[in-house]
Short mmCIF file of all heavy atoms in Angstrom, two decimals:
data_model
loop_
_atom_site.label_atom_id
_atom_site.label_comp_id
_atom_site.label_asym_id
_atom_site.label_seq_id
_atom_site.Cartn_x
_atom_site.Cartn_y
_atom_site.Cartn_z
N MET A 1 0.81 -1.19 0.00
CA MET A 1 0.00 0.00 0.00
C MET A 1 0.86 1.26 0.00
O MET A 1 0.52 2.22 -0.66
CB MET A 1 -0.92 0.00 1.22
CG MET A 1 -2.05 -1.01 1.14
SD MET A 1 -3.12 -0.81 -0.29
CE MET A 1 -4.00 0.65 0.15
N PHE A 2 1.94 1.23 0.78
CA PHE A 2 2.79 2.43 0.80
C PHE A 2 3.42 2.67 -0.57
O PHE A 2 3.64 3.81 -0.95
CB PHE A 2 3.87 2.31 1.87
CG PHE A 2 3.34 2.52 3.26
CD1 PHE A 2 3.31 1.49 4.17
CD2 PHE A 2 2.85 3.75 3.63
CE1 PHE A 2 2.83 1.68 5.44
CE2 PHE A 2 2.36 3.96 4.91
CZ PHE A 2 2.35 2.93 5.81
N ALA A 3 3.68 1.60 -1.30
CA ALA A 3 4.24 1.78 -2.64
C ALA A 3 3.26 2.51 -3.54
O ALA A 3 3.65 3.38 -4.32
CB ALA A 3 4.60 0.42 -3.24
N CYS A 4 1.98 2.19 -3.43
CA CYS A 4 0.95 2.88 -4.22
C CYS A 4 0.88 4.35 -3.83
O CYS A 4 0.74 5.22 -4.69
CB CYS A 4 -0.40 2.24 -4.01
SG CYS A 4 -0.52 0.56 -4.59
N VAL A 5 0.95 4.62 -2.55
CA VAL A 5 0.88 6.00 -2.07
C VAL A 5 2.05 6.81 -2.63
O VAL A 5 1.85 7.88 -3.21
CB VAL A 5 0.88 6.04 -0.52
CG1 VAL A 5 1.04 7.46 -0.02
CG2 VAL A 5 -0.39 5.43 0.03
N PHE A 6 3.25 6.31 -2.46
CA PHE A 6 4.41 7.08 -2.90
C PHE A 6 4.54 7.14 -4.42
O PHE A 6 5.00 8.14 -4.95
CB PHE A 6 5.68 6.54 -2.26
CG PHE A 6 5.72 6.79 -0.78
CD1 PHE A 6 5.71 5.75 0.11
CD2 PHE A 6 5.71 8.09 -0.29
CE1 PHE A 6 5.72 5.99 1.48
CE2 PHE A 6 5.72 8.34 1.06
CZ PHE A 6 5.72 7.29 1.95
N GLN A 7 4.08 6.13 -5.11
CA GLN A 7 4.09 6.17 -6.57
C GLN A 7 3.14 7.25 -7.08
O GLN A 7 3.41 7.90 -8.08
CB GLN A 7 3.69 4.80 -7.15
CG GLN A 7 3.62 4.77 -8.65
CD GLN A 7 4.95 4.98 -9.33
OE1 GLN A 7 5.99 4.68 -8.79
NE2 GLN A 7 4.92 5.52 -10.53
N GLY A 8 2.04 7.44 -6.38
CA GLY A 8 1.09 8.48 -6.78
C GLY A 8 1.54 9.88 -6.43
O GLY A 8 1.10 10.85 -7.03
N ILE A 9 2.43 10.02 -5.45
CA ILE A 9 2.82 11.35 -4.97
C ILE A 9 4.08 11.87 -5.67
O ILE A 9 4.18 13.07 -5.94
CB ILE A 9 3.04 11.32 -3.45
CG1 ILE A 9 1.72 11.08 -2.74
CG2 ILE A 9 3.68 12.60 -2.96
CD1 ILE A 9 1.85 10.89 -1.25
N ILE A 10 5.02 11.01 -5.99
CA ILE A 10 6.31 11.50 -6.51
C ILE A 10 6.10 12.23 -7.84
O ILE A 10 5.32 11.80 -8.68
CB ILE A 10 7.33 10.35 -6.67
CG1 ILE A 10 6.76 9.22 -7.53
CG2 ILE A 10 7.78 9.82 -5.34
CD1 ILE A 10 7.75 8.11 -7.81
N PRO A 11 6.78 13.35 -8.02
CA PRO A 11 6.54 14.17 -9.22
C PRO A 11 7.08 13.56 -10.50
O PRO A 11 6.71 14.00 -11.57
CB PRO A 11 7.26 15.49 -8.90
CG PRO A 11 8.22 15.17 -7.83
CD PRO A 11 7.67 14.00 -7.08
N TYR A 12 7.91 12.54 -10.42
CA TYR A 12 8.41 11.91 -11.63
C TYR A 12 7.77 10.55 -11.85
O TYR A 12 8.30 9.72 -12.58
CB TYR A 12 9.94 11.80 -11.61
CG TYR A 12 10.49 11.17 -10.34
CD1 TYR A 12 10.58 9.80 -10.21
CD2 TYR A 12 10.88 11.96 -9.28
CE1 TYR A 12 11.07 9.22 -9.06
CE2 TYR A 12 11.38 11.39 -8.12
CZ TYR A 12 11.48 10.03 -8.02
OH TYR A 12 11.95 9.46 -6.87
N GLY A 13 6.64 10.31 -11.23
CA GLY A 13 5.91 9.06 -11.42
C GLY A 13 5.26 9.03 -12.80
O GLY A 13 5.10 10.06 -13.47
N ALA A 14 4.89 7.86 -13.22
CA ALA A 14 4.35 7.67 -14.57
C ALA A 14 3.07 8.48 -14.80
O ALA A 14 2.88 9.06 -15.87
CB ALA A 14 4.07 6.18 -14.80
N GLN A 15 2.21 8.55 -13.78
CA GLN A 15 0.95 9.27 -13.95
C GLN A 15 1.19 10.77 -14.16
O GLN A 15 0.60 11.38 -15.07
CB GLN A 15 0.04 9.07 -12.72
CG GLN A 15 -0.36 7.64 -12.49
CD GLN A 15 0.65 6.87 -11.65
OE1 GLN A 15 1.72 7.35 -11.34
NE2 GLN A 15 0.29 5.65 -11.28
N LEU A 16 2.04 11.34 -13.34
CA LEU A 16 2.29 12.78 -13.45
C LEU A 16 3.07 13.12 -14.71
O LEU A 16 2.85 14.17 -15.32
CB LEU A 16 3.00 13.29 -12.21
CG LEU A 16 2.16 13.31 -10.94
CD1 LEU A 16 2.98 13.80 -9.76
CD2 LEU A 16 0.94 14.18 -11.12
N LEU A 17 3.97 12.25 -15.12
CA LEU A 17 4.69 12.51 -16.36
C LEU A 17 3.77 12.43 -17.57
O LEU A 17 3.93 13.18 -18.54
CB LEU A 17 5.86 11.54 -16.51
CG LEU A 17 7.03 11.77 -15.55
CD1 LEU A 17 8.09 10.71 -15.75
CD2 LEU A 17 7.61 13.16 -15.73
N SER A 18 2.79 11.54 -17.52
CA SER A 18 1.81 11.45 -18.61
C SER A 18 0.97 12.72 -18.69
O SER A 18 0.71 13.24 -19.78
CB SER A 18 0.90 10.25 -18.41
OG SER A 18 1.64 9.07 -18.42
N VAL A 19 0.55 13.21 -17.55
CA VAL A 19 -0.23 14.46 -17.53
C VAL A 19 0.62 15.61 -18.06
O VAL A 19 0.14 16.45 -18.83
CB VAL A 19 -0.73 14.77 -16.10
CG1 VAL A 19 -1.31 16.16 -16.01
CG2 VAL A 19 -1.74 13.74 -15.68
N TYR A 20 1.87 15.65 -17.66
CA TYR A 20 2.76 16.70 -18.15
C TYR A 20 2.93 16.62 -19.67
O TYR A 20 2.90 17.64 -20.36
CB TYR A 20 4.13 16.61 -17.47
CG TYR A 20 5.14 17.54 -18.07
CD1 TYR A 20 5.05 18.91 -17.87
CD2 TYR A 20 6.18 17.06 -18.86
CE1 TYR A 20 5.96 19.78 -18.44
CE2 TYR A 20 7.10 17.91 -19.43
CZ TYR A 20 6.99 19.27 -19.22
OH TYR A 20 7.89 20.12 -19.79
N ALA A 21 3.09 15.42 -20.18
CA ALA A 21 3.29 15.26 -21.62
C ALA A 21 2.05 15.68 -22.41
O ALA A 21 2.17 16.24 -23.50
CB ALA A 21 3.63 13.81 -21.94
N LEU A 22 0.88 15.43 -21.85
CA LEU A 22 -0.36 15.77 -22.57
C LEU A 22 -0.77 17.23 -22.41
O LEU A 22 -1.34 17.81 -23.33
CB LEU A 22 -1.49 14.86 -22.10
CG LEU A 22 -1.31 13.37 -22.43
CD1 LEU A 22 -2.41 12.56 -21.77
CD2 LEU A 22 -1.34 13.17 -23.93
N SER A 23 -0.52 17.82 -21.26
CA SER A 23 -1.05 19.16 -21.00
C SER A 23 -0.01 20.24 -20.79
O SER A 23 -0.35 21.41 -20.68
CB SER A 23 -1.95 19.12 -19.76
OG SER A 23 -1.18 18.77 -18.63
N LYS A 24 1.27 19.87 -20.69
CA LYS A 24 2.37 20.80 -20.46
C LYS A 24 2.21 21.59 -19.16
O LYS A 24 2.62 22.73 -19.06
CB LYS A 24 2.51 21.77 -21.64
CG LYS A 24 2.75 21.10 -22.96
CD LYS A 24 4.03 20.30 -22.96
CE LYS A 24 4.25 19.72 -24.34
NZ LYS A 24 4.96 18.49 -24.34
N ILE A 25 1.57 20.97 -18.17
CA ILE A 25 1.47 21.55 -16.83
C ILE A 25 2.54 20.88 -15.98
O ILE A 25 2.73 19.67 -16.03
CB ILE A 25 0.07 21.31 -16.22
CG1 ILE A 25 -0.99 22.00 -17.05
CG2 ILE A 25 0.03 21.80 -14.79
CD1 ILE A 25 -2.40 21.69 -16.60
N SER A 26 3.22 21.66 -15.18
CA SER A 26 4.29 21.14 -14.33
C SER A 26 3.73 20.11 -13.34
O SER A 26 2.67 20.34 -12.74
CB SER A 26 4.95 22.28 -13.57
OG SER A 26 5.80 21.78 -12.58
N PRO A 27 4.44 19.00 -13.14
CA PRO A 27 3.98 18.03 -12.15
C PRO A 27 3.88 18.60 -10.74
O PRO A 27 3.03 18.19 -9.95
CB PRO A 27 5.05 16.93 -12.21
CG PRO A 27 5.63 17.04 -13.56
CD PRO A 27 5.57 18.50 -13.90
N LEU A 28 4.71 19.59 -10.42
CA LEU A 28 4.63 20.21 -9.09
C LEU A 28 3.34 21.00 -8.92
O LEU A 28 2.83 21.12 -7.82
CB LEU A 28 5.85 21.09 -8.86
CG LEU A 28 7.18 20.35 -8.82
CD1 LEU A 28 8.33 21.33 -8.68
CD2 LEU A 28 7.20 19.34 -7.69
N GLU A 29 2.81 21.56 -9.99
CA GLU A 29 1.54 22.28 -9.92
C GLU A 29 0.37 21.31 -9.69
O GLU A 29 -0.63 21.67 -9.07
CB GLU A 29 1.29 23.07 -11.20
CG GLU A 29 2.25 24.22 -11.40
CD GLU A 29 2.01 24.93 -12.71
OE1 GLU A 29 0.92 24.79 -13.29
OE2 GLU A 29 2.93 25.62 -13.17
N ILE A 30 0.49 20.11 -10.19
CA ILE A 30 -0.58 19.12 -10.07
C ILE A 30 -0.59 18.48 -8.68
O ILE A 30 -1.64 18.08 -8.19
CB ILE A 30 -0.41 18.04 -11.15
CG1 ILE A 30 -0.49 18.67 -12.54
CG2 ILE A 30 -1.46 16.95 -11.02
CD1 ILE A 30 -0.09 17.74 -13.65
N MET A 31 0.56 18.42 -8.04
CA MET A 31 0.68 17.68 -6.78
C MET A 31 -0.25 18.20 -5.68
O MET A 31 -0.67 17.45 -4.82
CB MET A 31 2.12 17.69 -6.29
CG MET A 31 3.01 16.78 -7.09
SD MET A 31 4.68 16.76 -6.51
CE MET A 31 4.47 16.02 -4.91
N LYS A 32 -0.60 19.48 -5.70
CA LYS A 32 -1.49 19.99 -4.66
C LYS A 32 -2.92 19.48 -4.82
O LYS A 32 -3.71 19.60 -3.90
CB LYS A 32 -1.45 21.51 -4.63
CG LYS A 32 -1.89 22.17 -5.91
CD LYS A 32 -1.71 23.67 -5.80
CE LYS A 32 -1.96 24.33 -7.15
NZ LYS A 32 -1.64 25.74 -7.13
N TYR A 33 -3.26 18.92 -5.96
CA TYR A 33 -4.60 18.37 -6.18
C TYR A 33 -4.67 16.86 -6.00
O TYR A 33 -5.70 16.26 -6.24
CB TYR A 33 -5.08 18.73 -7.59
CG TYR A 33 -5.16 20.21 -7.82
CD1 TYR A 33 -4.25 20.85 -8.65
CD2 TYR A 33 -6.12 20.98 -7.17
CE1 TYR A 33 -4.30 22.21 -8.84
CE2 TYR A 33 -6.18 22.34 -7.36
CZ TYR A 33 -5.28 22.95 -8.20
OH TYR A 33 -5.34 24.30 -8.38
N LEU A 34 -3.59 16.24 -5.60
CA LEU A 34 -3.56 14.79 -5.41
C LEU A 34 -4.11 14.44 -4.03
O LEU A 34 -3.37 14.33 -3.07
CB LEU A 34 -2.13 14.27 -5.56
CG LEU A 34 -1.46 14.48 -6.90
CD1 LEU A 34 -0.02 14.00 -6.84
CD2 LEU A 34 -2.21 13.77 -7.98
N TYR A 35 -5.38 14.25 -3.94
CA TYR A 35 -5.98 13.93 -2.64
C TYR A 35 -6.05 12.43 -2.40
O TYR A 35 -5.96 11.98 -1.27
CB TYR A 35 -7.38 14.56 -2.52
CG TYR A 35 -8.35 14.10 -3.56
CD1 TYR A 35 -9.14 12.99 -3.33
CD2 TYR A 35 -8.49 14.76 -4.76
CE1 TYR A 35 -10.03 12.54 -4.28
CE2 TYR A 35 -9.37 14.33 -5.72
CZ TYR A 35 -10.15 13.22 -5.47
OH TYR A 35 -11.02 12.79 -6.42
N TYR A 36 -6.19 11.63 -3.45
CA TYR A 36 -6.36 10.19 -3.27
C TYR A 36 -5.15 9.53 -2.59
O TYR A 36 -5.33 8.76 -1.64
CB TYR A 36 -6.67 9.52 -4.61
CG TYR A 36 -6.80 8.04 -4.52
CD1 TYR A 36 -7.92 7.46 -3.94
CD2 TYR A 36 -5.79 7.20 -4.99
CE1 TYR A 36 -8.05 6.09 -3.84
CE2 TYR A 36 -5.90 5.83 -4.89
CZ TYR A 36 -7.04 5.29 -4.32
OH TYR A 36 -7.14 3.94 -4.20
N PRO A 37 -3.92 9.78 -3.01
CA PRO A 37 -2.78 9.14 -2.32
C PRO A 37 -2.68 9.54 -0.85
O PRO A 37 -2.33 8.71 -0.01
CB PRO A 37 -1.55 9.63 -3.10
CG PRO A 37 -2.06 10.00 -4.43
CD PRO A 37 -3.44 10.51 -4.21
N TYR A 38 -3.00 10.79 -0.54
CA TYR A 38 -2.92 11.22 0.86
C TYR A 38 -4.01 10.56 1.71
O TYR A 38 -3.75 10.16 2.85
CB TYR A 38 -3.03 12.74 0.95
CG TYR A 38 -1.90 13.45 0.24
CD1 TYR A 38 -2.16 14.31 -0.81
CD2 TYR A 38 -0.58 13.23 0.61
CE1 TYR A 38 -1.13 14.96 -1.47
CE2 TYR A 38 0.45 13.87 -0.04
CZ TYR A 38 0.17 14.73 -1.08
OH TYR A 38 1.19 15.35 -1.74
N ILE A 39 -5.20 10.45 1.16
CA ILE A 39 -6.28 9.77 1.89
C ILE A 39 -5.94 8.29 2.07
O ILE A 39 -6.17 7.72 3.14
CB ILE A 39 -7.62 9.95 1.16
CG1 ILE A 39 -8.05 11.42 1.23
CG2 ILE A 39 -8.69 9.05 1.74
CD1 ILE A 39 -9.25 11.75 0.40
N MET A 40 -5.39 7.67 1.03
CA MET A 40 -5.00 6.27 1.14
C MET A 40 -3.91 6.10 2.20
O MET A 40 -3.95 5.14 2.99
CB MET A 40 -4.51 5.75 -0.21
CG MET A 40 -4.26 4.27 -0.23
SD MET A 40 -4.07 3.53 -1.87
CE MET A 40 -2.96 4.60 -2.70
N TRP A 41 -2.97 7.02 2.28
CA TRP A 41 -1.92 6.96 3.29
C TRP A 41 -2.50 7.06 4.70
O TRP A 41 -2.11 6.31 5.59
CB TRP A 41 -0.91 8.08 3.06
CG TRP A 41 0.20 8.08 4.05
CD1 TRP A 41 1.28 7.25 4.06
CD2 TRP A 41 0.32 8.91 5.19
NE1 TRP A 41 2.08 7.54 5.14
CE2 TRP A 41 1.51 8.56 5.85
CE3 TRP A 41 -0.45 9.94 5.71
CZ2 TRP A 41 1.93 9.20 7.00
CZ3 TRP A 41 -0.02 10.57 6.86
CH2 TRP A 41 1.14 10.19 7.49
N ILE A 42 -3.47 7.93 4.89
CA ILE A 42 -4.11 8.08 6.20
C ILE A 42 -4.79 6.79 6.62
O ILE A 42 -4.64 6.33 7.76
CB ILE A 42 -5.11 9.25 6.17
CG1 ILE A 42 -4.37 10.58 6.08
CG2 ILE A 42 -6.01 9.23 7.41
CD1 ILE A 42 -5.25 11.77 5.78
N PHE A 43 -5.52 6.17 5.71
CA PHE A 43 -6.22 4.94 6.05
C PHE A 43 -5.27 3.76 6.28
O PHE A 43 -5.53 2.90 7.12
CB PHE A 43 -7.27 4.59 4.99
CG PHE A 43 -8.54 5.36 5.19
CD1 PHE A 43 -8.81 6.48 4.44
CD2 PHE A 43 -9.46 4.97 6.15
CE1 PHE A 43 -9.97 7.19 4.62
CE2 PHE A 43 -10.62 5.67 6.36
CZ PHE A 43 -10.89 6.80 5.59
N VAL A 44 -4.17 3.72 5.57
CA VAL A 44 -3.18 2.66 5.80
C VAL A 44 -2.58 2.80 7.19
O VAL A 44 -2.45 1.81 7.93
CB VAL A 44 -2.08 2.69 4.72
CG1 VAL A 44 -0.90 1.83 5.11
CG2 VAL A 44 -2.63 2.24 3.39
N VAL A 45 -2.23 4.01 7.57
CA VAL A 45 -1.66 4.24 8.90
C VAL A 45 -2.69 3.91 9.98
O VAL A 45 -2.37 3.28 10.99
CB VAL A 45 -1.14 5.67 9.02
CG1 VAL A 45 -0.75 6.00 10.45
CG2 VAL A 45 0.06 5.88 8.09
N LEU A 46 -3.94 4.32 9.77
CA LEU A 46 -4.99 3.99 10.74
C LEU A 46 -5.17 2.48 10.87
O LEU A 46 -5.34 1.96 11.97
CB LEU A 46 -6.31 4.63 10.33
CG LEU A 46 -6.44 6.11 10.60
CD1 LEU A 46 -7.74 6.65 9.99
CD2 LEU A 46 -6.41 6.38 12.08
N TYR A 47 -5.13 1.78 9.77
CA TYR A 47 -5.28 0.33 9.80
C TYR A 47 -4.13 -0.33 10.57
O TYR A 47 -4.35 -1.24 11.36
CB TYR A 47 -5.35 -0.23 8.38
CG TYR A 47 -5.45 -1.73 8.35
CD1 TYR A 47 -6.66 -2.35 8.63
CD2 TYR A 47 -4.35 -2.52 8.08
CE1 TYR A 47 -6.76 -3.73 8.62
CE2 TYR A 47 -4.44 -3.89 8.07
CZ TYR A 47 -5.65 -4.49 8.34
OH TYR A 47 -5.75 -5.85 8.35
N ILE A 48 -2.92 0.15 10.34
CA ILE A 48 -1.77 -0.43 11.03
C ILE A 48 -1.90 -0.24 12.54
O ILE A 48 -1.59 -1.15 13.31
CB ILE A 48 -0.47 0.20 10.50
CG1 ILE A 48 -0.20 -0.31 9.09
CG2 ILE A 48 0.71 -0.12 11.41
CD1 ILE A 48 0.93 0.40 8.38
N TYR A 49 -2.38 0.90 12.97
CA TYR A 49 -2.48 1.15 14.40
C TYR A 49 -3.70 0.52 15.05
O TYR A 49 -3.70 0.25 16.24
CB TYR A 49 -2.47 2.65 14.69
CG TYR A 49 -1.09 3.23 14.59
CD1 TYR A 49 -0.77 4.12 13.58
CD2 TYR A 49 -0.08 2.87 15.48
CE1 TYR A 49 0.51 4.65 13.47
CE2 TYR A 49 1.19 3.38 15.38
CZ TYR A 49 1.48 4.27 14.38
OH TYR A 49 2.74 4.77 14.27
N THR A 50 -4.76 0.27 14.29
CA THR A 50 -5.97 -0.31 14.87
C THR A 50 -6.05 -1.82 14.73
O THR A 50 -6.85 -2.46 15.41
CB THR A 50 -7.24 0.31 14.26
OG1 THR A 50 -7.24 0.09 12.86
CG2 THR A 50 -7.30 1.79 14.58
N GLU A 51 -5.26 -2.42 13.88
CA GLU A 51 -5.32 -3.87 13.65
C GLU A 51 -5.08 -4.69 14.91
O GLU A 51 -5.81 -5.65 15.16
CB GLU A 51 -4.34 -4.28 12.54
CG GLU A 51 -4.33 -5.75 12.25
CD GLU A 51 -5.65 -6.28 11.73
OE1 GLU A 51 -6.47 -5.50 11.24
OE2 GLU A 51 -5.86 -7.50 11.82
N PRO A 52 -4.12 -4.38 15.77
CA PRO A 52 -3.94 -5.18 16.99
C PRO A 52 -5.18 -5.15 17.89
O PRO A 52 -5.54 -6.16 18.49
CB PRO A 52 -2.75 -4.53 17.69
CG PRO A 52 -2.00 -3.85 16.62
CD PRO A 52 -3.03 -3.41 15.62
N TYR A 53 -5.84 -4.01 17.96
CA TYR A 53 -7.05 -3.91 18.78
C TYR A 53 -8.20 -4.71 18.18
O TYR A 53 -8.96 -5.35 18.89
CB TYR A 53 -7.46 -2.45 18.96
CG TYR A 53 -6.39 -1.63 19.63
CD1 TYR A 53 -5.69 -0.66 18.93
CD2 TYR A 53 -6.05 -1.84 20.97
CE1 TYR A 53 -4.70 0.08 19.54
CE2 TYR A 53 -5.06 -1.11 21.59
CZ TYR A 53 -4.39 -0.15 20.87
OH TYR A 53 -3.41 0.58 21.47
N LEU A 54 -8.30 -4.67 16.87
CA LEU A 54 -9.36 -5.43 16.21
C LEU A 54 -9.15 -6.93 16.42
O LEU A 54 -10.10 -7.68 16.67
CB LEU A 54 -9.41 -5.11 14.72
CG LEU A 54 -9.84 -3.70 14.36
CD1 LEU A 54 -9.70 -3.48 12.86
CD2 LEU A 54 -11.26 -3.43 14.80
N ASN A 55 -7.92 -7.38 16.31
CA ASN A 55 -7.63 -8.81 16.53
C ASN A 55 -7.93 -9.21 17.96
O ASN A 55 -8.42 -10.30 18.22
CB ASN A 55 -6.17 -9.12 16.19
CG ASN A 55 -5.95 -9.22 14.71
OD1 ASN A 55 -6.87 -9.50 13.96
ND2 ASN A 55 -4.73 -8.98 14.30
N PHE A 56 -7.64 -8.33 18.92
CA PHE A 56 -7.92 -8.62 20.32
C PHE A 56 -9.42 -8.84 20.53
O PHE A 56 -9.83 -9.80 21.16
CB PHE A 56 -7.42 -7.47 21.20
CG PHE A 56 -7.83 -7.61 22.63
CD1 PHE A 56 -7.19 -8.52 23.46
CD2 PHE A 56 -8.85 -6.84 23.15
CE1 PHE A 56 -7.56 -8.66 24.78
CE2 PHE A 56 -9.23 -6.96 24.47
CZ PHE A 56 -8.59 -7.88 25.29
N TYR A 57 -10.24 -7.96 19.98
CA TYR A 57 -11.69 -8.09 20.15
C TYR A 57 -12.26 -9.26 19.36
O TYR A 57 -13.22 -9.88 19.78
CB TYR A 57 -12.40 -6.79 19.78
CG TYR A 57 -12.21 -5.74 20.85
CD1 TYR A 57 -11.44 -4.63 20.61
CD2 TYR A 57 -12.80 -5.90 22.11
CE1 TYR A 57 -11.25 -3.67 21.59
CE2 TYR A 57 -12.62 -4.95 23.09
CZ TYR A 57 -11.84 -3.84 22.83
OH TYR A 57 -11.65 -2.91 23.81
N ARG A 58 -11.68 -9.57 18.23
CA ARG A 58 -12.14 -10.74 17.47
C ARG A 58 -11.89 -12.01 18.25
O ARG A 58 -12.73 -12.91 18.29
CB ARG A 58 -11.42 -10.80 16.13
CG ARG A 58 -11.89 -9.80 15.13
CD ARG A 58 -11.13 -9.94 13.83
NE ARG A 58 -11.37 -8.79 12.99
CZ ARG A 58 -10.47 -8.25 12.20
NH1 ARG A 58 -9.26 -8.76 12.13
NH2 ARG A 58 -10.77 -7.19 11.48
N LYS A 59 -10.73 -12.14 18.87
CA LYS A 59 -10.41 -13.34 19.66
C LYS A 59 -11.23 -13.39 20.94
O LYS A 59 -11.64 -14.46 21.37
CB LYS A 59 -8.92 -13.35 20.00
CG LYS A 59 -8.05 -13.60 18.80
CD LYS A 59 -6.58 -13.53 19.18
CE LYS A 59 -5.72 -13.69 17.93
NZ LYS A 59 -4.30 -13.54 18.25
N LYS A 60 -11.47 -12.26 21.52
CA LYS A 60 -12.20 -12.20 22.80
C LYS A 60 -13.66 -12.62 22.63
O LYS A 60 -14.21 -13.33 23.46
CB LYS A 60 -12.12 -10.78 23.36
CG LYS A 60 -12.76 -10.64 24.73
CD LYS A 60 -12.57 -9.24 25.26
CE LYS A 60 -13.19 -9.08 26.61
NZ LYS A 60 -13.03 -7.72 27.15
N TYR A 61 -14.30 -12.19 21.55
CA TYR A 61 -15.71 -12.46 21.35
C TYR A 61 -15.99 -13.57 20.35
O TYR A 61 -17.11 -13.76 19.91
CB TYR A 61 -16.43 -11.18 20.93
CG TYR A 61 -16.40 -10.13 22.01
CD1 TYR A 61 -15.64 -8.98 21.86
CD2 TYR A 61 -17.11 -10.31 23.18
CE1 TYR A 61 -15.60 -8.03 22.85
CE2 TYR A 61 -17.08 -9.37 24.19
CZ TYR A 61 -16.32 -8.23 24.02
OH TYR A 61 -16.28 -7.29 25.02
N LYS A 62 -14.96 -14.30 19.97
CA LYS A 62 -15.14 -15.41 19.04
C LYS A 62 -15.83 -16.55 19.75
O LYS A 62 -15.54 -16.89 20.88
CB LYS A 62 -13.77 -15.86 18.52
CG LYS A 62 -13.86 -16.87 17.43
CD LYS A 62 -12.46 -17.18 16.92
CE LYS A 62 -12.54 -18.23 15.85
NZ LYS A 62 -11.20 -18.56 15.35
N LYS A 63 -16.78 -17.16 19.07
CA LYS A 63 -17.55 -18.27 19.67
C LYS A 63 -16.85 -19.59 19.45
O LYS A 63 -16.18 -19.88 18.58
CB LYS A 63 -18.92 -18.33 19.06
CG LYS A 63 -19.76 -17.15 19.47
CD LYS A 63 -21.14 -17.29 18.91
CE LYS A 63 -21.99 -16.12 19.37
NZ LYS A 63 -23.33 -16.21 18.90
#
């Protein structure tokens, strides 16, 4: 998941270079509109920190 996040954010990634080639807009200008990689990063970090608690409750209430 972190690879997807960083691939979407880096200014020399394939997606941003394609946009630059088609529209001649600087990849740095586009980066401020990249909300999906940042949201994905937030949810990955939340999952990493909440997974131990979820496993604890799953084992505790398992029939």
Side-chain angles (χ1 to χ4, degrees):
M1 288 302 288
F2 284 113
C4 295
V5 171
F6 291 116
Q7 178 65 28
I9 293 174
I10 55 175
Y12 51 85
Q15 298 87 353
L16 290 179
L17 289 177
S18 299
V19 170
Y20 172 72
L22 295 173
S23 64
K24 302 299 183 209
I25 297 174
S26 169
L28 296 176
E29 293 177 20
I30 300 169
M31 286 181 66
K32 60 185 172 187
Y33 300 108
L34 298 176
Y35 60 90
Y36 178 73
Y38 298 120
I39 292 173
M40 188 166 47
W41 180 78
I42 290 169
F43 278 100
V44 167
V45 171
L46 283 173
Y47 178 78
I48 288 171
Y49 283 113
T50 59
E51 180 63 21
Y53 300 111
L54 293 174
N55 283 336
F56 173 76
Y57 285 111
R58 286 180 193 144
K59 290 177 184 177
K60 184 176 180 180
Y61 296 110
K62 187 176 179 181
K63 291 183 178 182

